[in-house]
Amino acid sequence: MLICLVVGARPNFMKIAPIDREFKKRGIDTLLVHTGQHYDENMSDVFFHDLNMKSPDVHLNVGSGTHASQTARIMIEFEKVCNKHDFAMVVVVGDVNSTIACTLVAKKLGILVTHVEAGLRSFDREMPEEINRILTDSISDLLLTPSLDGNENLKNEGVLESRIKFVGNIMIDSLYDALERVKSTNSNPANNLGIGRYCVVTLHRPSNVDDEEKVTLLVENLIETSRKIPIVFPMHPRTKNNLEKFDKLHLLENQPSIHILEPLGYLEFVSLVGGSTLIITDSGGLQEETTSLGIPCLTLRENTERPITITEGTNRLISDLSTLQISVDDALQKQDSLEPRKPKFWDGKTAKRIVDAIIECIEG
Ligand code: UD1
């Protein structure tokens, strides 16, 4: 039995690593395919080392491009891989272009597909990820959800209950593992900055960083925030490119309390976040990690596909930037009273439930 595991972009690696390890434990062969959607050393390679992952068995090297060209290139290359092997299952995770591209190819070839992190919905079809989620869920055979709101969303879309299984949050498996590993190391890049308490900022969504007016407002707000608490900002390449294009990068770089870093590896990032006082982000995964760590998270978006991080976690949506400073003040006051949260099945044991469900689906 050969299982194909697909990774493409940064948020995929920490979801596939524990699943691959679990298959290995059970003596089941996997073929790890990297589409190459992300390709920089610090957006991709470093994660394989940090997550103790095997190197990709196949690399499709597709690189960046428009949505259509990137998705199309992945499809063309992945079809060749599927034709060469006899996969019992293709496993895709999350909501990036690699996720839908590989799902579409596999299903057209009649191969079973499992979608891990199924059922999440922001109900905002302007997000490319929402389109990827809806399409992937509508054709995958096995839909494994991280939280019960995912089951509800899928049922509301008319998906048969037999295709849906609540398994929990796979990212938390990697988070717990990394926290254990960084305990005895000095991998927190903030330690060298001598700044004491700090806020971590990550921003990369097109809705935040592609529009000049929005970027200008964001920069003003980050400068204002840095007067209250130092900021560490590992910067995504898209964000850096746009800040340069709008001639705003130097405004941040000139602030003594804003520390701009290159994108970080997984262990460094987990250390950095684990030691932080506050997070300002538009990431999906970070909303979940901060909930698990008990750190206040201000998410610069109008909606979230992860509502459990608000109802049971430490996340708050900031849809209007003019309210950010009030929320920063509030979060800085309250942060000491926050505790790590553990929504059901965010327990570090999700990989086991995923592999059980996949085997049952193949054999069933
Ligand atoms: C993608 C995902 C997004 C995820 C994010 C995490 C889609 C539609 N979006 O967005 O859901 O949250 O990854 O980072 O799949 N670039 C580099 N080096 C790289 C990769 C990208 O310089 O290794 C630059 C290129 O200029 C590229 C741009 O970043 O054009 C955007 O990359 P892309 O993969 O298209 O989307 P992300 O914004 O990273």
Side-chain angles (χ1 to χ4, degrees):
M1 172 155 62
L2 181 62
I3 310 289
C4 176
L5 303 176
V6 175
V7 291
R10 187 166 64 173
N12 295 159
F13 305 124
M14 54 295 270
K15 294 169 193 164
I16 285 292
I19 300 175
D20 192 28
R21 266 200 298 280
E22 185 64 29
F23 274 119
K24 194 166 178 208
K25 242 192 232 166
R26 301 190 195 194
I28 296 172
D29 289 335
T30 58
L31 189 93
L32 182 60
V33 176
H34 189 336
T35 66
Q37 176 173 348
H38 284 174
Y39 44 84
D40 283 353
E41 158 84 28
N42 53 14
M43 294 291 284
S44 171
D45 301 10
V46 65
F47 287 85
F48 287 83
H49 168 265
D50 282 3
L51 290 156
N52 271 335
M53 252 174 126
K54 67 173 172 181
S55 298
D57 298 299
V58 179
H59 206 302
L60 307 182
N61 286 312
V62 300
S64 300
T66 63
H67 284 272
S69 66
Q70 186 176 61
T71 309
R73 283 206 300 273
I74 298 170
M75 289 181 70
I76 291 167
E77 295 307 317
F78 188 61
E79 188 178 50
K80 295 176 196 163
V81 179
C82 289
N83 283 331
K84 204 165 151 194
H85 298 274
D86 184 16
F87 295 135
M89 180 72 79
V90 169
V91 180
V92 297
V93 294
D95 54 18
V96 301
N97 287 344
S98 302
T99 311
I100 178 58
C102 294
T103 302
L104 200 47
V105 168
K107 282 321 303 165
K108 292 260 178 125
L109 291 171
I111 304 169
L112 288 174
V113 173
T114 296
H115 183 206
V116 174
E117 207 182 82
L120 299 187
R121 295 290 181 270
S122 65
F123 303 100
D124 174 2
R125 291 196 179 199
E126 284 181 20
M127 281 181 82
E129 292 83 358
E130 182 75 352
I131 306 296
N132 293 341
R133 289 180 204 115
I134 293 169
L135 296 180
T136 302
D137 284 342
S138 73
I139 56 176
S140 295
D141 300 276
L142 179 60
L143 302 173
L144 302 180
T145 63
S147 46
L148 286 169
D149 53 286
N151 296 49
E152 279 311 302
N153 292 335
L154 292 168
K155 277 184 235 164
N156 290 341
E157 289 172 18
V159 176
L160 284 179
E161 282 203 39
S162 56
R163 284 170 59 206
I164 313 169
K165 189 152 182 123
F166 169 42
V167 291
N169 191 330
I170 188 62
M171 251 193 16
I172 306 303
D173 287 31
S174 280
L175 178 67
Y176 282 3
D177 194 50
L179 285 172
E180 207 44 52
R181 288 169 59 210
V182 298
K183 254 188 203 160
S184 53
T185 61
N186 180 18
S187 24
N188 185 348
N191 287 346
N192 305 325
L193 300 171
I195 49 176
R197 283 162 28 108
Y198 58 90
C199 163
V200 175
V201 173
T202 80
L203 296 167
H204 73 284
R205 299 255 165 233
S207 57
N208 277 326
V209 303
D210 282 5
D211 174 65
E212 185 166 4
E213 215 173 296
K214 189 88 187 264
V215 167
T216 306
L217 208 58
L218 262 174
V219 166
E220 285 166 12
N221 260 284
L222 293 182
I223 292 173
E224 178 71 24
T225 305
S226 77
R227 296 195 177 111
K228 300 169 184 169
I229 182 164
I231 286 178
V232 184
F233 189 169
M235 202 175 274
H236 188 284
R238 174 194 283 276
T239 310
K240 191 166 205 169
N241 290 342
N242 286 345
L243 280 165
E244 271 167 352
K245 187 168 87 188
F246 303 139
D247 196 25
K248 298 289 176 206
L249 186 58
H250 65 102
L251 296 180
L252 295 180
E253 282 173 341
N254 289 343
Q255 293 300 315
S257 291
I258 298 185
H259 306 272
I260 296 175
L261 308 180
E262 290 295 312
L264 296 173
Y266 188 62
L267 294 178
E268 279 188 313
F269 191 68
V270 167
S271 298
L272 179 72
V273 170
S276 71
T277 304
L278 170 67
I279 305 287
I280 298 176
T281 191
D282 58 13
S283 151
L286 204 39
Q287 297 170 50
E288 301 178 332
E289 287 158 342
T290 45
T291 281
S292 197
L293 292 165
I295 295 168
C297 180
L298 302 177
T299 299
L300 305 191
R301 284 178 46 187
E302 287 177 5
N303 47 55
T304 178
E305 62 288 342
R306 293 164 162 89
I308 196 170
T309 60
I310 298 174
T311 53
E312 293 188 33
T314 60
N315 188 22
R316 184 190 285 188
L317 288 182
I318 308 291
S319 53
D320 176 359
L321 270 180
S322 67
T323 66
L324 178 63
Q325 295 311 316
I326 298 170
S327 295
V328 167
D329 296 341
D330 192 44
L332 289 178
Q333 261 176 22
K334 284 195 193 139
Q335 59 93 19
D336 288 337
S337 57
L338 287 184
E339 293 288 335
R341 312 288 169 88
K342 212 171 182 179
K344 190 170 179 206
F345 285 172
W346 293 29
D347 57 0
K349 295 177 186 148
T350 296
K352 190 177 168 312
R353 289 185 288 269
I354 288 176
V355 171
D356 284 344
I358 290 175
I359 291 172
E360 196 185 311
C361 177
I362 294 170
E363 289 177 348

